Amino acid sequence: MTTARSTPPRTSPPRSRETTRQKLFQAAVTLIAEQGFSSTTVDEIAERAGVAKGTVYYNFASKTELFEELLRHGVEMLTADLREAAGSAARRGGGRVDALDAMILAGLQFIDRYPAFTQLYVAELWRTNRAWNDTLMVVRQQAVAVVEEELRQGVAEGELSEEIDIQLTAAALVGMVLVAALDWKAFQPERSLEEVHGALSLLLQGRVGGRGRLR
């Protein structure tokens, strides 16, 4: 009779590559926000992340690639947050304007958690002739597309006016959140997140003009 072999207990795996990449992202975004891309060296990024310089090159071919992936990673996180906010609003029985309002709150919460990344992202949107310009445009469209979809569905369902320019309105809403949040952080830090969201929510809802829906 054959005796079944027992399965040896699993040992805890070493720190995953993803964890290391997260540390490098955090170190890079902090340093670049403090002193600019050109002035930030790979040595400084490695030191701030608490890893060897070779670890940076093991994960990224160059400092430029690291920064490009940082932009992609950050906007993908933001996009995921926006999608989840819209989905949560729908599950609660809300309409498209409720979903847009939930995305505004999610965007503010993201910026509150990652102000250095947001500052870099907005700054890079205005620069040209960067190696990562194409990537930046692609990831920007990912975030805007989430808002576009809610607007498109709102128009199709009759909740929003057919006169809405969906592309421009989506870009305007994303821009509104970015600029308002950066202004809040830089010039009105005494305000709470709830206050800032409340002000932007009023603009979205159209209540300033006495309306309860976006037109």
Side-chain angles (χ1 to χ4, degrees):
M1 182 175 180
T2 303
T3 303
R5 295 181 179 179
S6 60
T7 303
R10 294 182 179 180
T11 57
S12 298
R15 181 174 297 166
S16 69
R17 184 181 182 187
E18 183 58 32
T19 300
T20 301
R21 287 168 68 91
Q22 292 289 339
K23 291 179 67 176
L24 291 171
F25 284 148
Q26 183 60 47
V29 74
T30 303
L31 285 167
I32 294 170
E34 290 174 355
Q35 57 195 34
F37 178 80
S38 298
S39 298
T40 299
T41 67
V42 172
D43 285 327
E44 289 173 320
I45 293 171
E47 182 179 359
R48 180 69 65 94
V51 301
K53 181 178 180 179
T55 302
V56 180
Y57 288 115
Y58 174 75
N59 286 274
F60 305 99
S62 65
K63 183 178 71 169
T64 295
E65 181 181 295
L66 189 161
F67 189 60
E68 187 173 14
E69 288 300 311
L70 168 63
L71 291 172
R72 188 188 303 277
H73 174 71
V75 176
E76 285 176 353
M77 287 198 303
L78 171 60
T79 302
D81 286 355
L82 296 180
R83 289 190 187 281
E84 175 56 30
S88 295
R91 290 190 293 272
R92 293 192 301 269
R96 299 299 171 177
V97 172
D98 297 310
L100 291 167
D101 187 54
M103 285 194 284
I104 286 175
L105 177 58
L108 291 172
Q109 290 170 333
F110 178 89
I111 294 166
D112 192 38
R113 289 196 304 272
Y114 308 109
F117 171 79
T118 307
Q119 182 181 355
L120 281 178
Y121 172 73
V122 172
E124 291 303 317
L125 284 175
W126 292 98
R127 293 195 172 105
T128 58
N129 299 322
R130 294 285 208 183
W132 48 80
N133 279 152
D134 288 344
T135 295
L136 189 60
M137 292 302 102
V138 169
V139 296
R140 169 200 168 274
Q141 185 53 36
Q142 289 177 355
V144 174
V146 181
V147 182
E148 286 182 0
E149 180 59 24
E150 291 301 320
L151 291 170
R152 191 171 290 108
Q153 292 295 329
V155 171
E157 295 163 2
E159 184 178 351
L160 304 178
S161 171
E162 294 180 357
E163 297 178 357
I164 287 177
D165 184 319
I166 291 174
Q167 288 186 322
L168 187 57
T169 302
L173 288 173
V174 172
M176 175 183 73
V177 173
L178 288 172
V179 173
L182 289 177
D183 186 88
W184 161 41
K185 289 294 184 182
F187 303 113
Q188 304 181 62
E190 72 282 357
R191 289 184 178 271
S192 68
L193 188 150
E194 290 74 20
E195 284 182 289
V196 178
H197 173 235
L200 298 187
S201 182
L202 284 176
L203 289 175
L204 171 71
Q205 300 286 350
R207 289 176 184 161
V208 172
R211 291 286 186 178
R213 66 171 56 180
L214 188 70
R215 288 194 180 276

